[in-house]
Amino acid sequence: RENGLILRSKLLRAGGGVAGETVVKKLSLGAKVDEKLLSFTPAKGQVPSERLAADPGELELTRKESGLEPSLPSWLPGGFVFDDIESVPYGKKKMLHARFSDGLDAVSLFQLPPRSRPNFGKAAVETLKLGDGKGQLAWLPEGHALSWTRDGRRFMLVGPLGAETLKRITESVR
């Protein structure tokens, strides 16, 4: 017999999009549990990722292509790993696009050229206090988008995660 426990759930809006999310971060079972019951076994045909950080050669290539010094988060939500980073066109300049995934959801970190301003379109924008400044939060079809500036560098984080989780990621980007 198999048992399960929901560790993550999303509340969806009627018109689409995520209205809220619940994530179990700590679990106490009371009685001692056999460790074998809590061991991870990947689904049939799936291989877990061992790639938790960017390859130094990949970072050097994107640095040369974009002229930007890549900055990545030191903290990600449980299960998320580094996927890739690339230099992509941004007007007449280049920006960096780093992707992180837990196999289900993906989060994108954009590092924009100096003095650029993100375009949230007609989305409502809210100002948030971050650990070392302020950020602009908007709800886009892709999820929350949080934009901020640190040390003269402009960033935008986009993904289907809650605002508090995005804030924690932004505060770890250096």
Side-chain angles (χ1 to χ4, degrees):
R1 182 173 158 198
E2 292 188 24
N3 294 300
L5 176 65
I6 297 173
L7 300 177
R8 183 178 189 174
S9 68
K10 290 185 179 181
L11 178 62
L12 302 176
R13 293 187 172 133
V18 178
E21 179 178 23
T22 302
V23 178
V24 175
K25 294 188 179 217
K26 186 175 181 181
L27 177 65
S28 175
L29 300 174
K32 181 143 177 75
V33 176
D34 182 357
E35 290 294 321
K36 289 186 266 181
L37 292 175
L38 300 176
S39 65
F40 171 73
T41 305
K44 187 175 182 174
Q46 299 297 309
V47 178
S49 173
E50 296 295 330
R51 193 168 186 208
L52 301 177
D55 176 83
E58 196 174 11
L59 291 176
E60 182 59 28
L61 178 63
T62 57
R63 180 183 297 111
K64 286 179 180 176
E65 289 177 351
S66 68
L68 299 170
E69 182 66 35
S71 296
L72 299 172
S74 59
W75 181 87
L76 292 168
F80 277 81
V81 296
F82 173 80
D83 189 13
D84 68 357
I85 186 169
E86 64 181 337
S87 175
V88 295
Y90 185 79
K92 295 179 181 179
K93 297 183 179 186
K94 298 270 188 156
M95 71 175 173
L96 297 179
H97 179 199
R99 284 178 286 281
F100 308 88
S101 176
D102 67 355
L104 179 63
D105 288 323
V107 174
S108 290
L109 174 62
F110 298 95
Q111 189 172 337
L112 305 168
R115 294 179 295 286
S116 57
R117 302 195 54 81
N119 181 359
F120 293 123
K122 296 184 180 192
V125 177
E126 173 185 342
T127 299
L128 293 181
K129 174 145 179 45
L130 300 175
D132 57 355
K134 294 179 186 175
Q136 305 296 315
L137 179 71
W139 179 258
L140 304 175
E142 300 83 8
H144 282 110
L146 180 55
S147 174
W148 76 101
T149 301
R150 180 174 293 126
D151 301 326
R153 298 174 298 155
R154 171 69 74 175
F155 300 93
M156 184 169 7
L157 190 62
V158 180
L161 302 176
E164 289 303 314
T165 301
L166 291 180
K167 279 176 59 174
R168 186 163 177 199
I169 296 170
T170 67
E171 290 168 353
S172 79
V173 173
R174 296 288 170 214

